[in-house]
Amino acid sequence: MQEKVDAILREVGAAEAKNQEELEQFRLRFISKKGVVGDLLDEFKNVPNDQKKAYGMKVNEVKQAVQAKFKTLIDNLESGQAGTSEHEDLTLPSAGHALGSMHPLTYVRNQIIQVFERIGFNVADGPEIEDDFHNFTALNFPENHPAREMQDTFFIEKNPDILLRTHTSNVQVRLMQKQKPPIRSIMPGRVYRNEAISARAHCVFHQVEGLYVDKNVSFVDLKQTLYHFAKEMFGKDTKVRFRPSYFPFTEPSAEIDISCQICKGDGCQLCKYTGWVEIAGSGMVDPNVLANCGIDHEEYTGFAFGMGIERISQLKFRVNDLRLYTENDVRFLKQFSTLH
Ligand code: DAH
């Protein structure tokens, strides 16, 4: 009997629990009804009467050792010391904390803001959950117009429609409603579209839009502002071109291309062998939009533009899969650790 008890006590003494699972194994092996202590108690009835007292004392010894050990294992697990030995060298330097770094989209967004702030734009903000008026109707998207189809999104309520904004143009509308010109603002923010996620499309992405409304604002101002932006962002040698386009909220409208950053205009996969890549949409604010927002379009004119932050980041850092931005894979994020 003494031998058996000694063996059990040795096993209990050596037991460790590095996690909850191992703690549970200890409980099952020693404490549960079918465990070691339970077995010893079951044996009690077979012990001759004259030895019962001594036996009982031994069982008690085992039971107390098991309970004390169980408590120690729980305490160690809770304090994070599980598995540490008494001989650990406490004078060693700690492992230290890994520092996070800036997300590439945050970096690019800040850079875009800085370029525009230096030429007198301020930053405006608005809601991501928006009504139909601010996201579509005020911006001259007629009911059932195909342009709405291209910006299908996630609807939170129908009739009246509450939705996740498809662009940050809703902030343009809100600004014009509450502020008398001059207005010179940019609006960075998160936007949503009903897209299946792939390398080239995502249901969540980021934009920076800009709006300048005042007396005598012309297409010349639009062009010079965006030339300036492209050269600040991508370097002085960058070529810029305006391509006629269509947006419901601007008239005339233009898409802005820059010379391809990868092949410098020679032609490559990114620019589809044209030498040019699109970076933004732009145009003169449609008089209907000014009127919808309560601004006198006889007195004031304005220009607006919008760009995708992911797109600018792709051109700067050659990230060719949109999913990388949201997967939070440290191997991806670490590559930007020198940005600040
Ligand atoms: N809102 C447009 C989009 O999401 C981008 C855009 C184009 C914004 C032209 C503008 C603009 O303000 O003038 O596709």
Side-chain angles (χ1 to χ4, degrees), residues 204-241:
V204 187
F205 57 101
H206 300 79
Q207 286 188 333
V208 176
E209 292 205 356
L211 175 70
Y212 181 19
V213 183
D214 203 352
K215 289 178 182 155
N216 301 319
V217 175
S218 77
F219 205 82
V220 176
D221 301 305
L222 163 61
K223 275 185 104 168
Q224 287 308 322
T225 304
L226 289 165
Y227 271 139
H228 173 76
F229 167 73
K231 294 193 180 247
E232 286 289 298
M233 201 68 195
F234 294 104
K236 293 270 173 278
D237 299 332
T238 308
K239 292 199 199 70
V240 184
R241 76 174 184 188

Side-chain angles (χ1 to χ4, degrees), residues 151 166-167 169 172 193 207 209 247 249-250 281-283 304-306:
Q151 296 200 6
T166 58
H167 44 193
S169 312
Q172 298 190 22
R193 305 248 171 121
Q207 286 188 333
E209 292 205 356
F247 298 104
F249 33 87
T250 46
S282 69
F305 55 87

